[in-house]
Amino acid sequence: MSDVIKHLDLSSADGAQLNMDALYQIMPSAFTEVRDEKTGEVARKVNFEVLRQLLGDNATDGDGEMYQFTWVGKNAARVEAAAPTTKTLRPVVEDSVDWDTTKNIYIEGDNLEVLKLLQCSYMGKVKMIYIDPPYNTGNDFVYHDDFARTATEEDLEAGNIDELGNRFRKNTDTNGKFHSDWCSMIYPRLMVARSLLTEDGVIFISIDDGELNNMKRICDEIFGSANFRNTILVRRRIKSLNSQFADNGLSTMNVAFEYILVYAKSEQFLMQALRQKKADASTKGRWDVFWSNADRPTMRYDILGFTPSTGQWRNGKEKAEIAVANYQKYLNEYSEEMTIEEYFEKTGIKEFIRRIPNASGKNGGVQHWVAPSDTMLRTSNWTDIEVSQIGKEIDLPFDNPKSKQLLIELLKLIRNDKDFIILDFFSGSATTAHAVMQLNAEDEGNRKFIMVQLPEETSEESEAYKAGYKNICEIGKERIRRAGKKIKADSPLTTQDLDTGFRVYRLDESNYENVSLSPKKYKQDQLDLFANNIKADRTDLDLLYGAMLAWGVRLDLPLQTETVDGCTVYTVNEGDLVACFSEGITDKVVATMAEKSPLRVLFRDACFKEDAQKINIYEQFKQALDWADDDAFKNIRVI
């Protein structure tokens, strides 16, 4: 009975299993049960013969000629995307701002590992992703995922990993696999990132000419070519004087163009129409035919004394009636004194609807007054947006920052929603976080950010290094701190409740010692690893947030702590998870935890003096919460 309470599986989501689960939802008949010869357990497996029959003529063996996009290392990259990780995220409270109340997150570490760790808690919950990955210019920093190597010593000798196991190097153009290595870097990250998007979510990817074609082909494969939405042309300040097509017309400084690829998760994503200022606004309005063609949906009203047989109103009936009344007022009281344009300038009324007497045609002569406007719908050319300089704004040294205003415009593309999660897993100087806070301050939104950045060291010659910032993460965190203070200081009356805080987490090796050897192979003084396999430098918060990641609990939820009989009880979001890691727990501790009506209950093995206590705990929660055996078996775990 010692196994009544199951151990929590602390590895990240298994990508292959996620694919299996998705396939099972649409083709359960393609699955069968097979006994594992090593473990003796029965597992669900795909019967490829049945799957082929279900697909009919829509399956291929991959032999012969076909359209495909591939490179050296693609298969390994695909396998890496599906492989789970045993690493964890450790909270860094001292680097955080407003830890207890903020909903924003900043994560330091290799973004592929981080994305995998986020899958259980954030799958299908991120509305928008923006990334500005390495462009593969031949000298920029590229994460190096050498899947063929397995020996840590070889990686260290080659300079491919740091002391934490992060794999990286510069991808110079002398590398024989120059483009292949870049594709292998970006491919698994996009595969995992896609799983985090909501069904109506969207990803924006900045890229330049060097890998634009490869990036689009990869995205066509991962997101589906039908979900491609647009390629936005933007500009970026560069230091190099070798740019062949600098924009001498828009600015005196050296400017080069780049692109933003837009891909939706599914057809459910709809972009918000944006407007921009016209260079020379018209001073006169115009009359337009009220509808454009007979194939569009109709909302026809008889407010003009007849019901047209085709077309649609611009507005609902109530607004249309007001527009008709506006014109009638002008016609009856002012038409002999002034033109419609003069009347508009005098009154500022923008909506008029009229019907031309004795007009022929299906629309019956109905026209709509279009008032003059100083804006127009934004096209896919966004080169009018200036590149911001964070140094001038908040006094931070950083080369080639992303444009804050550009990010704000992208955020505005999310239709009818000001409360969603945005993820940037190449966050650099944290421009995305800055843009989120700025836009929330302007439109009272409640958007939340997750920033992920590898702690890449700054060059000793750089202004950032000289200013004391030893890696990019230090710059990003400080930018968020300063930007948040400035936004609140600029508008103190309207930003009192604005969330400018963030919780910091740092990628690290597992919280647990490796106890994969059999007990007889351990020395006597090592046998306590089986009773307490937690590393000596790990805290309760390390264990708690590591377990939250594994159990699908979001990292931004509020946390309360209390002490009962000398034991610390942690309550996440009023009962999403209740945990205790103290030794010598009592019945009062268990009763206190049960009073929270928890969805999940977590202990560590060291909480229990003997196995019989585990059985008793199991029964106590069943009685207190009226759980069935299956409920208790599912909801209580130990680590």
Side-chain angles (χ1 to χ4, degrees):
M1 294 291 290
S2 62
D3 291 329
V4 166
I5 303 180
K6 293 179 62 178
H7 279 77
L8 181 65
D9 184 357
L10 294 164
S11 62
S12 67
D14 186 325
Q17 187 60 50
L18 294 176
N19 295 333
M20 290 269 288
D21 294 341
L23 183 61
Y24 184 77
Q25 294 299 314
I26 58 175
M27 290 185 177
S29 58
F31 286 77
T32 186
E33 292 183 346
V34 177
R35 186 175 299 278
D36 190 307
E37 295 181 357
K38 295 181 179 179
T39 65
E41 296 183 357
V42 175
R44 193 167 63 194
K45 303 288 184 181
V46 175
N47 186 325
F48 275 101
E49 185 59 35
V50 174
L51 181 60
R52 176 178 292 280
Q53 292 170 2
L54 294 172
L55 295 175
D57 295 333
N58 298 307
T60 178
D61 291 322
D63 298 329
E65 294 182 349
M66 67 184 69
Y67 178 79
Q68 58 182 329
F69 173 51
T70 190
W71 63 86
V72 177
K74 182 177 183 179
N75 289 337
R78 192 180 282 131
V79 170
E80 176 63 18
T85 180
T86 58
K87 292 188 178 183
T88 190
L89 297 181
R90 301 179 64 185
V92 189
V93 179
E94 60 273 18
D95 280 9
S96 306
V97 175
D98 299 332
W99 175 276
D100 292 333
T101 58
T102 185
K103 296 292 185 180
N104 300 316
I105 295 173
Y106 189 98
I107 303 175
E108 303 177 19
D110 183 330
N111 53 19
L112 180 55
E113 303 282 355
V114 172
L115 289 170
K116 290 179 179 182
L117 288 170
L118 293 178
Q119 275 186 301
C120 288
S121 299
Y122 289 90
M123 185 174 295
K125 295 179 180 177
V126 175
K127 186 71 168 282
M128 172 180 164
I129 296 175
Y130 171 79
I131 58 171
D132 185 20
Y135 287 179
N136 208 21
T137 61
N139 193 40
D140 55 357
F141 187 86
V142 175
Y143 294 67
H144 181 50
D145 304 309
D146 191 350
F147 307 131
R149 291 180 181 244
T150 58
T152 302
E153 293 79 9
E154 292 183 19
D155 277 333
L156 282 169
E157 184 177 351
N160 292 338
I161 65 174
D162 65 10
E163 65 277 3
L164 293 178
N166 296 315
R167 293 170 290 185
F168 56 88
R169 62 175 172 80
K170 286 189 176 181
N171 190 28
T172 63
D173 52 14
T174 58
N175 174 21
K177 297 191 299 177
F178 180 65
H179 292 289
S180 293
D181 280 356
W182 185 89
C183 290
S184 290
M185 179 277 296
I186 200 67
Y187 189 85
R189 288 165 172 82
L190 290 179
M191 284 191 70
V192 181
R194 182 186 180 277
S195 70
L196 302 180
L197 282 173
T198 60
E199 284 304 305
D200 61 346
V202 62
I203 183 170
F204 300 95
I205 305 173
S206 285
I207 197 69
D208 71 358
D209 296 275
E211 296 291 354
L212 175 63
N213 290 336
N214 285 336
M215 179 67 88
K216 189 174 188 308
R217 295 172 80 177
I218 288 174
C219 288
D220 282 345
E221 182 172 318
I222 292 175
F223 296 96
S225 57
N227 289 318
F228 170 69
R229 291 291 180 268
N230 209 339
T231 300
I232 302 173
L233 180 67
V234 297
R235 64 176 182 169
R236 183 174 191 144
R237 183 183 297 108
I238 60 173
K239 287 191 173 181
S240 171
L241 298 179
N242 297 321
S243 177
Q244 294 182 356
F245 297 98
D247 174 25
N248 296 319
L250 292 175
S251 173
T252 57
M253 55 192 170
N254 190 30
V255 177
F257 296 118
E258 62 184 32
Y259 312 90
I260 297 178
L261 291 176
V262 185
Y263 277 84
K265 173 75 173 288
S266 73
E267 71 281 355
Q268 294 184 30
F269 171 72
L270 297 173
M271 277 194 287
Q272 180 71 42
L274 294 184
R275 292 184 175 272
Q276 61 180 335
K277 293 288 184 180
K278 289 181 180 178
D280 52 343
S282 171
T283 59
K284 293 186 177 182
R286 66 180 188 275
W287 288 103
D288 276 356
V289 175
F290 205 72
W291 40 76
S292 57
N293 64 68
D295 297 326
R296 298 174 68 181
T298 58
M299 295 184 295
R300 298 187 291 271
Y301 314 122
D302 59 0
I303 57 178
L304 289 162
F306 85 116
T307 301
S309 59
T310 62
Q312 74 170 10
W313 296 104
R314 288 181 185 270
N315 305 108
K317 186 174 182 179
E318 183 178 346
K319 287 187 176 181
E321 288 175 338
I322 294 173
V324 171
N326 288 340
Y327 181 68
Q328 289 296 328
K329 182 177 179 65
Y330 161 73
L331 195 65
N332 295 335
E333 300 179 20
Y334 299 95
S335 59
E336 294 182 1
E337 303 175 11
M338 62 185 72
T339 65
I340 192 74
E341 289 87 357
E342 292 171 337
Y343 181 68
F344 164 76
E345 291 176 1
K346 177 180 179 179
T347 64
I349 296 175
K350 299 181 179 180
E351 295 292 334
F352 305 95
I353 292 177
R354 74 178 180 183
R355 182 184 181 192
I356 300 174
N358 303 318
S360 60
K362 295 180 178 180
N363 67 0
V366 179
Q367 292 183 322
H368 177 255
W369 170 261
V370 181
S373 172
D374 62 351
T375 64
M376 61 183 178
L377 286 176
R378 181 175 285 284
T379 68
S380 57
N381 185 340
W382 289 21
T383 53
D384 60 299
I385 298 177
E386 291 286 348
V387 180
S388 59
Q389 292 180 282
I390 63 172
K392 291 183 178 180
E393 193 171 9
I394 51 178
D395 192 26
L396 271 178
F398 193 82
D399 293 336
N400 299 321
K402 297 172 236 177
S403 167
K404 182 187 69 174
Q405 189 57 43
L406 174 62
L407 265 297
I408 288 176
E409 294 298 306
L410 293 177
L411 287 164
K412 290 179 180 178
L413 287 175
I414 304 301
R415 192 172 187 175
N416 300 325
D417 194 353
K418 298 180 182 179
D419 185 357
F420 59 87
I421 298 174
I422 174 175
L423 167 66
D424 183 344
F425 53 91
F426 288 97
S427 69
S429 66
T431 303
T432 302
H434 192 166
V436 167
M437 294 187 296
Q438 185 68 57
L439 185 56
N440 281 344
E442 293 173 3
D443 66 5
E444 299 182 349
N446 191 34
R447 303 167 187 87
K448 296 162 280 288
F449 63 75
I450 301 176
M451 300 292 103
V452 183
Q453 176 60 44
L454 188 75
E456 176 191 353
E457 294 183 357
T458 54
S459 168
E460 293 186 7
E461 289 76 34
S462 67
E463 293 301 317
Y465 184 91
K466 295 174 184 177
Y469 301 101
K470 306 307 180 186
N471 63 62
I472 293 179
C473 290
E474 298 307 314
I475 298 173
K477 289 181 292 186
E478 184 61 19
R479 178 181 187 176
I480 301 173
R481 296 185 191 105
R482 295 190 186 187
K485 290 180 180 179
K486 185 176 188 302
I487 291 169
K488 285 192 171 183
D490 289 345
S491 305
L493 297 180
T494 59
T495 58
Q496 292 178 353
D497 298 325
L498 180 68
D499 184 0
T500 57
F502 57 99
R503 289 183 175 182
V504 177
Y505 296 89
R506 186 170 294 143
L507 182 71
D508 207 336
E509 298 299 327
S510 170
N511 291 322
Y512 308 92
E513 300 286 0
N514 185 353
V515 292
S516 58
L517 298 177
S518 61
K520 65 181 181 181
K521 293 184 179 180
Y522 280 86
K523 297 178 181 179
Q524 186 64 38
D525 59 356
Q526 293 177 307
L527 290 179
D528 64 339
L529 285 175
F530 292 93
N532 181 12
N533 65 333
I534 297 170
K535 292 178 179 176
D537 65 337
R538 303 306 161 98
T539 67
D540 280 4
L541 287 184
D542 290 331
L543 303 181
L544 178 65
Y545 285 101
M548 288 168 62
L549 282 170
W551 216 345
V553 181
R554 281 173 43 168
L555 295 174
D556 63 340
L557 297 178
L559 172 67
Q560 295 83 38
T561 62
E562 59 184 300
T563 302
V564 181
D565 283 351
C567 300
T568 303
V569 175
Y570 299 93
T571 304
V572 179
N573 200 35
E574 299 183 353
D576 279 13
L577 171 65
V578 177
C580 181
F581 306 120
S582 304
E583 297 183 11
I585 61 172
T586 64
D587 288 345
K588 186 176 180 180
V589 173
V590 176
T592 300
M593 296 173 71
E595 288 173 0
K596 312 292 184 183
S597 298
L599 301 178
R600 305 168 184 85
V601 180
L602 183 67
F603 299 100
R604 60 184 287 189
D605 272 323
C607 289
F608 310 106
K609 296 180 179 179
E610 53 189 19
D611 288 341
Q613 191 177 10
K614 291 184 181 180
I615 302 172
N616 187 45
I617 293 284
Y618 180 82
E619 294 298 329
Q620 284 177 281
F621 276 100
K622 282 175 56 181
Q623 293 178 16
L625 300 172
D626 196 26
W627 280 350
D629 283 343
D630 288 345
D631 294 326
F633 191 70
K634 179 181 66 175
N635 299 338
I636 305 175
R637 291 287 187 273
V638 295
I639 55 174

